[in-house]
Amino acid sequence: MKYSIFSIARNALSHHKNWPEQWRSPEPKTDYDVIIIGGGGHGLATAYYLAKEHGITNVAVLEKGWLGGGNTARNTTIVRSNYLWDESAAIYEKSLQLWEGLSQDINYNVMLSQRGVLNLAHNLGDVREGVRRVNANRLNGVDAEWLDADGVKDFCPIINISKDTRHPVLGATLQRRGGVARHDSVAWGYARAADACGVDIIQNCEVTGIKREGDKVVGVETTRGYIGAKKVAVVAAGHSSVVANMAGLRLPVESHPLQALVSEPIKPVIDCVVMSGAVHVYVSQSDKGELVMGAGVDSFNSYGQRGSFHVIEHQLGACLELFPVFSRVRMMRTWGGIVDVCPDASPIISKTSVDGLYFNCGWGTGGFKATPGSGWAFAHTVAKDEPHRLNAPFALGRFETGALIDEHGAAAVAH
Ligand SMILES: Cc1cc2nc3c(=O)[nH]c(=O)nc-3n(C[C@H](O)[C@H](O)[C@H](O)COP(=O)(O)OP(=O)(O)OC[C@H]3O[C@@H](n4cnc5c(N)ncnc54)[C@H](O)[C@@H]3O)c2cc1C
């Protein structure tokens, strides 16, 4: 059923009791052309673009839990494309362009709100990095502006720009096309659109082994039995290295906890997104009125979806200096995700040394914004068995050649 004002009106007549399920829950077939491991946004987007762009529909997405239960629905939903290097700007900008038409494309409201993203500068080093990034962005056709402290105050009136603070605001980069989107809508919207193309979405199905015949992948062992596959595409985020291990591969990826938290709902006070890499604060306000905030990564490796108290204590301390107006707001919930981080803070979208086995991972603390572009480029790589020019620089080979894409300035801490 196409979602529209007419379908809402039609269903109102039956008191909204007859909406169909958004996607089927079929039993797994014995084999597929492509199996995608991981039902987060990236895996579901890959399935959708495999069907839509390449006509490959004999596809299953296997998810060990529920759709979006990983990082996809645990993140702070910041969307932007103002990365430093040409390679990153190209793929994140492709993603932002897909975001801009996504609700129409998949007939699902992903609630993209392009309210503008500020990246604050607190010292001379930050200012230099920010101005450099604005110039690099403009050369790449990505919208970017530099604001001085007064400009920041005009854009976000509740921010404290007093010079007499631990983290004075000296200026900020601004991407007006940046903003936020609704995270679980992204997973559900892609799932529904992929399902409509014939993709099987199978939840509660954990992959426990990858079956190889020589140098070729032939299927996967799962908690619901063996499933054969011509190709296996792994999009398992924080568990990528665990799945790689099943195929006898070792990835240059480390998994860390990363936390977010939300406040009780309050009246609208902040109508943009503010990020500070230096003090590990990023904040926006949800449609429900909650302040949505993220922290920095816990520095130890872990697969537990929770982080340490001192990390959010540090984050809230810095947050209150920037926004004294929040001082009596109560925080309501906190949670953690497991982020997969590469040494250069850039992702891996790549073939592997095993025929028919592909990995899309390493998005670390900032892959939500990349969901459409990542799925689009990965689908090309899987369908054609070769990378698209957008993701060729993000192949595993860069860890041998040394052609790393160092995005620590734009990606490592905040989003
Ligand atoms: C607190 C926090 C804040 C963040 N904020 C932002 C932000 O503001 N902006 C931004 O761009 N990014 C942000 N990120 C990063 C972003 O969330 C991730 O990069 C992105 O969501 C990754 O999507 P994914 O689909 O690859 O991963 P996931 O959504 O984690 O999906 C991977 C899926 O694989 C499944 N899986 C794993 N192993 C198996 C197996 N063996 N068998 C079957 N299934 C398996 C998991 O259950 C999971 O559902 C944040 C992350 C966190 C944790």
Side-chain angles (χ1 to χ4, degrees):
M1 178 195 291
K2 190 166 183 330
Y3 289 166
S4 69
I5 185 123
F6 302 110
S7 56
I8 292 175
R10 230 181 1 261
N11 279 281
L13 296 175
S14 54
H15 303 282
H16 296 289
K17 286 183 183 156
N18 294 328
W19 286 101
E21 281 188 338
Q22 300 197 55
W23 55 83
R24 299 163 298 126
S25 294
E27 283 302 309
K29 296 190 223 162
T30 49
D31 52 75
Y32 289 92
D33 290 339
V34 180
I35 282 179
I36 295 171
I37 303 177
H42 288 230
L44 293 161
T46 305
Y48 172 63
Y49 292 116
L50 269 174
K52 181 187 171 208
E53 303 281 336
H54 306 282
I56 302 175
T57 56
N58 186 22
V59 176
V61 178
L62 308 183
E63 166 54 49
K64 71 175 175 181
W66 63 94
L67 298 190
N71 293 339
T72 295
R74 289 170 182 268
N75 72 78
T76 47
T77 73
I78 299 172
V79 171
R80 61 187 174 91
S81 64
N82 54 352
Y83 281 66
L84 176 65
W85 297 107
D86 298 350
E87 297 85 346
S88 318
I91 193 158
Y92 285 102
E93 179 57 24
K94 166 75 183 174
S95 201
L96 186 49
Q97 288 170 10
L98 288 170
W99 275 113
E100 286 169 333
L102 190 60
S103 293
Q104 286 72 24
D105 182 24
I106 60 176
N107 182 224
Y108 207 97
N109 188 0
V110 297
M111 295 165 73
L112 176 70
S113 164
Q114 292 177 291
R115 55 183 74 174
V117 175
L118 290 172
N119 284 67
L120 301 180
H122 301 289
N123 55 46
L124 205 52
D126 287 354
V127 172
R128 287 196 183 119
E129 193 277 331
V131 172
R132 177 186 181 202
R133 191 138 57 85
V134 164
N135 290 332
N137 289 161
R138 287 187 176 174
L139 287 171
N140 276 318
V142 174
D143 67 305
E145 293 165 46
W146 175 255
L147 303 182
D148 62 13
D150 291 332
V152 173
K153 184 82 180 163
D154 282 347
F155 198 75
C156 180
I158 61 167
I159 203 164
N160 175 17
I161 59 161
S162 148
K163 294 194 171 49
D164 190 21
T165 61
R166 193 154 48 114
H167 307 296
V169 175
L170 303 186
T173 66
L174 167 63
Q175 184 174 25
R176 289 184 193 269
R177 285 165 63 238
V180 290
R182 172 82 203 180
H183 44 22
D184 36 21
S185 279
V186 175
W188 299 337
Y190 272 124
R192 178 170 168 272
D195 173 85
C197 298
V199 170
D200 285 356
I201 290 162
I202 302 166
Q203 300 179 73
N204 296 311
C205 182
E206 179 171 0
V207 172
T208 53
I210 293 187
K211 183 115 191 293
R212 287 171 58 166
E213 271 173 16
D215 276 343
K216 180 155 180 41
V217 76
V218 292
V220 295
E221 300 288 353
T222 79
T223 46
R224 293 173 67 171
Y226 176 77
I227 311 175
K230 295 193 182 81
K231 295 180 176 180
V232 173
V234 186
V235 204
H239 288 79
S240 300
S241 44
V242 178
V243 179
N245 202 25
M246 294 175 193
L249 300 179
R250 191 149 179 254
L251 292 178
V253 171
E254 287 193 348
S255 295
H256 293 270
L258 177 68
Q259 298 179 81
L261 52 169
V262 291
S263 73
E264 60 189 339
I266 55 175
K267 294 223 164 131
V269 286
I270 177 166
D271 62 358
C272 60
V273 181
V274 179
M275 302 172 31
S276 163
V279 298
H280 296 196
V281 173
Y282 35 106
V283 58
S284 64
Q285 189 166 16
S286 76
D287 296 329
K288 283 187 283 181
E290 299 157 347
L291 298 172
V292 181
M293 299 182 188
V297 291
D298 278 67
S299 49
F300 54 84
N301 298 133
S302 168
Y303 293 106
Q305 286 174 318
R306 56 190 299 181
S308 311
F309 186 69
H310 74 267
V311 174
I312 45 179
E313 190 181 18
H314 166 89
Q315 186 263 359
L316 284 177
C319 180
L320 288 187
E321 284 220 4
L322 289 172
F323 301 102
V325 68
F326 295 162
S327 65
R328 283 188 291 156
V329 174
R330 282 168 298 194
M331 300 314 293
M332 200 165 60
R333 290 195 306 277
T334 165
W335 64 88
I338 300 303
V339 295
D340 39 329
V341 183
C342 285
D344 57 354
S346 284
I348 294 167
I349 314 176
S350 185
K351 295 172 64 168
T352 66
S353 53
V354 180
D355 215 15
L357 182 64
Y358 309 83
F359 271 84
N360 180 345
C361 61
W363 291 97
T365 60
F368 176 69
K369 65 180 73 65
T371 305
S374 148
W376 189 89
F378 196 41
H380 177 105
T381 307
V382 174
K384 310 271 186 215
D385 196 35
E386 63 182 23
H388 187 271
R389 76 177 159 70
L390 281 179
N391 64 298
F394 297 100
L396 274 165
R398 76 178 189 272
F399 298 100
E400 287 169 24
T401 62
L404 302 179
I405 304 163
D406 181 359
E407 284 291 356
H408 281 99
V413 179
H415 307 277

